[in-house]
Amino acid sequence: MRILYCNKYNFEFSGTEVYLLDLMRLVRQEGHEAALFSMADSRGKPSPYDKYAVPPIDFKRPAGPLQQLRSAAHAIYSREARRRIRSLLSDFQPQLAHVRNIYHHLSPSILWELRRQGVPVIYHVNDFKILCPSYNLVSKGEPCERCAKGAFRHVVSEGCYAGGPAASVVLAAEAYVHKWWKTYATCVDLLLAPTKFVRDKMVDSGWNPQAVEVLPHFQRVPNESPTAPSIDAPILYFGRLSVEKGVIDLVGAMHLIPNIRLIIAGDGPQREELEAKAAELGLKNVEFAGHVGGQQLNRLIAESCLTVFPSHAYETLGKSILESYAHGRPVVATDLGSRRELVIKGETGVLYEVGDVEQLAASIAFLYARPKLTQAMGEAGLEKVRRDHSPKLHYEALMQIYSRVAALKTPRPFASPLHHLA
């Protein structure tokens, strides 16, 4: 089978790309052809189809009014991206397209070209962008669903996007344009959700239940069996340091459990605030390790006794939880969104009420004082990953979906919005 993957980054920028690139390696190993349509970037692995890549664009770089206007138009509808994917389709001739993170560098314009060329589309949800212009159903660090049923103006009135008012207007405009054009309803054949929670959110917001399926992500497990943590092993948070991640709660909780060490591995806009909070509380048991990835991150997970995810956001999946389980480490996490599916209370970890710092501290202390229970929970998490998130099972389920969606290919002789300008 020939599969075209669409994602704005061609390197491991985030968990989204880690999954996608690993998936592409997996399908190629099984004898399928896979091509990637993305922005051009030297950090990506060279490909025969790089000549079709969209020139890089940095929306955060300072620019004058005219360039800002051009960037806004590109984010809403990129004629450049549509022209380039048209050429790639002519060359590669895929049987279907697997679309991930295309905003705002590729734009939804490519969906119209895929539709026009009769290529069935699987849109794989990695965030809540279809429902929420600012991606994550979060406002001021808390869950927010004001935009979820098409009232996209709230991204402006709530001031929830960190990029500022002008960028918020562009996000709202983009969402309204593709709502009016019915881009997703017209161009997407199947919406693939990583959790039941995500599927339910999409359906509650008006998506056809028959057009949304659940496929959990896969997680590779180290060849070596996990070892028991040392008696003084730290607890670990790893991920982005931003308001909605709730790390400020975790820092506050460490004041209540000074005998337990915490390593915070990650970076982001809230790092300075978190470091200042730790200094204000006089915490000697909190270490900021900065951004950590690859084998260094694997080592930190393996050397911890448990991991903590205090997020105030729903999250679409929680890949960090699966990574923790892969190393035989249990999880303490907020009782919210997709985490309710990944963390089995009392078996693979502990869930606590969002924002309850005292309950968070008590949950950590409870497990830390019971190393045998903590180890048993970690082993249960590892078994869950092996049972429910193996690459083999994921591949087999996805290929069944691919075959079913690819069979939908039929001539689609109609003019899509703005195709005469592309």
Side-chain angles (χ1 to χ4, degrees), residues 374-388:
T374 300
Q375 185 174 355
M377 284 185 170
E379 291 171 354
L382 177 58
E383 177 56 32
K384 176 176 172 57
V385 163
R386 286 174 170 159
R387 181 182 68 244
D388 301 335

Side-chain angles (χ1 to χ4, degrees), residues 149 306 329 343 405 413:
K149 293 188 178 180
L306 59 90
R329 296 299 179 256
V343 181
V405 174

